[in-house]
Amino acid sequence: MSDVLYFNGRFTTTDERVLRVEDRGFLFGDAVYEVFKFLRKRPVFLGDHWRRLSNGLTAIDIRNPWTEESFASSMRELLDRTSFEDGIVYIEVSRGEGPRAHFYADDMTPTAVAFSRAYNFPDAAKKERGIRLITDADLRWKHCDVKSVNLLPNALSKKKAQRSGGDEVLLIDRDIVRECGSSSFFIVKNGRVITHPLDCHILPGVTRDRVIALARDLVDEREIHAAELDDADEIFITSTTLGVMPVNQIDDKAKRTRGPITAELQRRLDEEESRA
Ligand code: PLP
């Protein structure tokens, strides 16, 4: 089925082939992306996603095709044209199209695409039951804080996890637990909510940020050692599509199903999302 597609300032559908083979997003992975959720056609935390997109473009020296206002109005129009109420919008901005060469021109016109997709968000039973993580080595580049489209290590690790019966991969860098293949990672120990600090090793998750704000003075942002996974009281991950999702197993070790802090953070995030 075709979806509504925004392409460089105009609207079409995903049936139209819009990209050229020499787009640097395709040839070099020279692009950043963003994903936001919408409920009843209302975007959730759009301002946060805009800020991360802008920061990513600045970090890799791509001209931003939007202002905050033109971005918000393009996304509103995309949702107006969308035939379903709830889903996600995928946005990608590449450096643009030009003769294939590592040296890029300084004045390239970025390629901007965005499309809406229906999405099966986890239901209440799944949010209570939780999911299983499989650990793998973190083989990503040294700027995981940029939401670049270079997701080959993430995709390969996630597939490996899936083949071992997992729902998501937990990326471990020697002894340090970084984050998951497409979600942020938290443990709860002695009433403290612990997650990796913001630096170049993890993506600044929009949901991570919201959850930290909701948990307020319970939070410690510090590196987590792999051995700490064994005696954590609660473990959960966060993302735009999963919200707050409890972890019930890591590799072959069963973990407590949803604990009280995880449940409370789920409740508060759901409330905030429905107000967005
Ligand atoms: N970490 C990684 C590596 C991701 O790819 C994602 C989302 O795609 C996240 C964390 C969660 O980010 P957000 O909460 O903004 O969806």
Side-chain angles (χ1 to χ4, degrees):
M1 200 189 87
S2 65
D3 291 299
V4 183
L5 172 69
Y6 168 98
F7 175 68
N8 287 347
R10 70 180 171 89
F11 286 92
T12 175
T13 72
T14 49
D15 284 340
E16 185 184 341
R17 295 191 176 222
V18 291
L19 288 177
R20 309 292 297 264
V21 75
E22 283 194 302
D23 195 284
R24 289 184 65 92
F26 174 62
L27 294 178
F28 291 94
D30 191 352
V32 292
Y33 76 106
E34 195 51 61
V35 177
F36 71 83
K37 172 177 181 176
F38 59 94
L39 295 173
R40 299 177 311 284
K41 294 242 183 153
R42 299 217 321 254
V44 175
F45 310 145
L46 189 65
D48 299 13
H49 289 283
W50 159 256
R51 271 187 293 285
R52 184 170 62 188
L53 178 64
S54 296
N55 292 343
L57 289 168
T58 303
I60 63 169
D61 185 32
I62 292 179
R63 183 167 67 73
N64 196 327
W66 292 292
T67 61
E68 184 164 8
E69 292 67 35
S70 66
F71 173 75
S73 73
S74 298
M75 295 308 119
R76 245 192 324 271
E77 186 168 350
L78 181 75
L79 295 183
D80 284 347
R81 289 167 178 265
T82 296
S83 59
F84 38 88
E85 295 283 299
D86 300 342
I88 57 165
V89 172
Y90 176 88
I91 302 154
E92 183 169 326
V93 181
S94 83
R95 193 177 306 279
E97 184 201 336
R100 189 202 174 272
H102 288 69
F103 289 117
Y104 52 85
D106 289 327
D107 58 351
M108 291 189 71
T109 304
T111 304
V113 299
F115 53 87
S116 49
R117 274 271 133 100
Y119 196 89
N120 266 339
F121 298 112
D123 60 15
K126 178 147 194 202
K127 289 176 85 166
E128 185 173 347
R129 194 169 60 245
I131 62 168
R132 178 183 181 196
L133 305 183
I134 301 289
T135 56
D136 198 12
D138 189 352
L139 299 180
R140 299 174 301 162
W141 73 323
K142 293 178 181 170
H143 262 296
C144 298
D145 50 329
V146 175
K147 201 166 167 66
S148 123
V149 298
N150 294 278
L151 295 173
L152 183 59
N154 309 52
L156 292 178
S157 286
K158 280 182 77 100
K159 189 68 198 171
K160 200 161 136 191
Q162 187 188 48
R163 287 191 171 128
S164 305
D167 304 285
E168 169 64 301
V169 68
L170 178 59
L171 298 170
I172 305 198
D173 188 359
R174 284 150 304 187
D175 171 45
I176 305 296
V177 181
R178 299 294 188 199
E179 62 178 334
C180 292
S182 55
S183 43
S184 310
F185 181 78
F186 292 75
I187 63 172
V188 179
K189 182 70 194 162
N190 298 330
R192 306 297 300 169
V193 176
I194 307 162
T195 194
H196 197 289
L198 284 185
D199 61 20
C200 63
H201 298 104
I202 64 159
L203 185 80
V206 165
T207 324
R208 172 192 179 281
D209 232 38
R210 292 282 167 165
V211 164
I212 286 176
L214 292 171
R216 272 173 262 142
D217 41 0
L218 299 182
V219 177
D220 293 327
E221 291 180 70
R222 66 158 175 84
E223 288 185 346
I224 299 166
H225 293 270
E228 293 181 78
L229 300 177
D230 287 340
D231 59 356
D233 300 327
E234 300 176 39
I235 300 180
F236 64 89
I237 64 174
T238 65
S239 76
T240 295
T241 49
L242 296 175
V244 173
M245 177 60 71
V247 171
N248 59 35
Q249 192 170 340
I250 299 184
D251 294 330
D252 290 326
K253 289 189 183 147
K255 302 290 169 194
R256 173 188 188 161
T257 45
R258 182 174 68 173
I261 292 184
T262 308
E264 178 60 15
L265 290 171
Q266 276 182 333
R267 195 191 61 72
R268 290 190 195 174
L269 184 73
D270 287 350
E271 202 177 274
E272 201 168 71
E273 285 188 354
S274 63
R275 269 191 273 114

